[in-house]
Amino acid sequence: QLSSHIDIIPNFLYVTFVKNTGAGFSIFENYGILFFSVLTISACAIIVYTFFQTEKRIAKWILVMILAGAIGNFIDRLMLGYVRDFIGVYIFDWAFPIFNGADIFITGGFMALIGLTIIEEMSEKQAWKNKQL
């Protein structure tokens, strides 16, 4: 039921139901299915292109995570006209915006991609320093 609230871990994790017509954290709310369809299809095309361009196995897994999340939310949006968000978390008594499993894949994937980029950059700098010595 819309807006019902079930505590899983009191004062930390709960389940609810929200119809999200926007993007993450409900930004761009009510921009419409056409806007999000073009955005999602474009993002998926870039992800697939990048997948085939990279040789790094870990990067491919990360891209698949992001792609899976994007497709999951896209299916909801096409079938229902909105994305079903249902996971709620309190962080120090602050209610974090409601999200879903696809959002976890997208966000986790982007965080992993940033981490991988940082690690690779640090490795390249170290290799360059060692080469100079």
Side-chain angles (χ1 to χ4, degrees), residues 73-94:
N73 279 342
F74 188 55
I75 290 169
D76 258 7
R77 198 172 305 280
L78 287 178
M79 299 297 289
L80 305 169
Y82 56 87
V83 173
R84 295 175 286 189
D85 288 339
F86 55 90
I87 302 169
V89 176
Y90 291 112
I91 301 172
F92 304 113
D93 293 328
W94 174 68

Side-chain angles (χ1 to χ4, degrees), residues 3 5 10 12 14 19 27 31 34 38 41 45-46 56 58 60 65 74 82 85 88 106 109 112 116 118 124 127:
S3 299
H5 179 110
F12 178 67
Y14 62 97
K19 294 179 179 181
I27 61 172
Y31 268 54
L34 180 62
V38 169
I41 291 167
I46 291 167
K56 294 182 175 73
I58 186 75
K60 287 181 182 264
M65 278 181 60
F74 188 55
Y82 56 87
D85 288 339
I106 295 167
L116 180 63
I118 291 169
E124 287 176 19

Side-chain angles (χ1 to χ4, degrees), residues 6-118:
I6 301 168
D7 282 327
I8 304 299
I9 301 172
N11 299 317
F12 178 67
L13 179 67
Y14 62 97
V15 175
T16 189
F17 177 69
V18 176
K19 294 179 179 181
N20 182 357
T21 59
F25 309 119
S26 295
I27 61 172
F28 305 120
E29 196 166 19
N30 298 318
Y31 268 54
I33 292 174
L34 180 62
F35 172 79
F36 287 107
S37 295
V38 169
L39 187 67
T40 303
I41 291 167
S42 299
C44 288
I46 291 167
I47 292 167
V48 170
Y49 174 80
T50 306
F51 178 90
F52 287 110
Q53 293 302 308
T54 187
E55 295 178 11
K56 294 182 175 73
R57 195 171 193 162
I58 186 75
K60 287 181 182 264
W61 278 105
I62 292 169
L63 291 169
V64 167
M65 278 181 60
I66 297 168
L67 183 64
I71 291 170
N73 279 342
F74 188 55
I75 290 169
D76 258 7
R77 198 172 305 280
L78 287 178
M79 299 297 289
L80 305 169
Y82 56 87
V83 173
R84 295 175 286 189
D85 288 339
F86 55 90
I87 302 169
V89 176
Y90 291 112
I91 301 172
F92 304 113
D93 293 328
W94 174 68
F96 192 80
I98 310 302
F99 57 95
N100 63 31
D103 296 335
I104 293 170
F105 272 62
I106 295 167
T107 304
F110 273 110
M111 291 172 60
L113 197 57
I114 290 167
L116 180 63
T117 303
I118 291 169

